[in-house]
Amino acid sequence: MSVLAEVSGNVTAIGYGLAAIGPGIGVGIIFGQGVQAIARQPEAYGVIRQNMLLGFVLTEALALIGLVAPFIFQGIK
């Protein structure tokens, strides 16, 4: 005899929570390493800051995709 587990309610919040873990870690790594790089080479501040902000934007885009994806794909089964 097999027992099937049933999940009731909206599980998209759990899915987004799991999807936000990666970008959250990524943003922490980006800014932590950026501050460390600026401390080591203050004369390269402009280039490091530009690359740091670009990395932040790309990482945050992943979080926004994780937020929007459940709304787009909720009707597809």
Side-chain angles (χ1 to χ4, degrees), residues 1 17 29 34 38 45 47-48 61 63 69 72:
M1 180 195 297
I29 290 172
I38 291 170
Y45 172 76
V47 174
I48 294 169
I72 294 172

Side-chain angles (χ1 to χ4, degrees), residues 44-71:
Y45 172 76
V47 174
I48 294 169
R49 181 176 172 263
Q50 180 181 8
N51 289 334
M52 189 170 58
L53 290 176
L54 180 63
F56 169 72
V57 168
L58 294 174
T59 305
E60 246 348 270
L62 292 175
L64 291 175
I65 290 171
L67 175 67
V68 173
F71 296 111

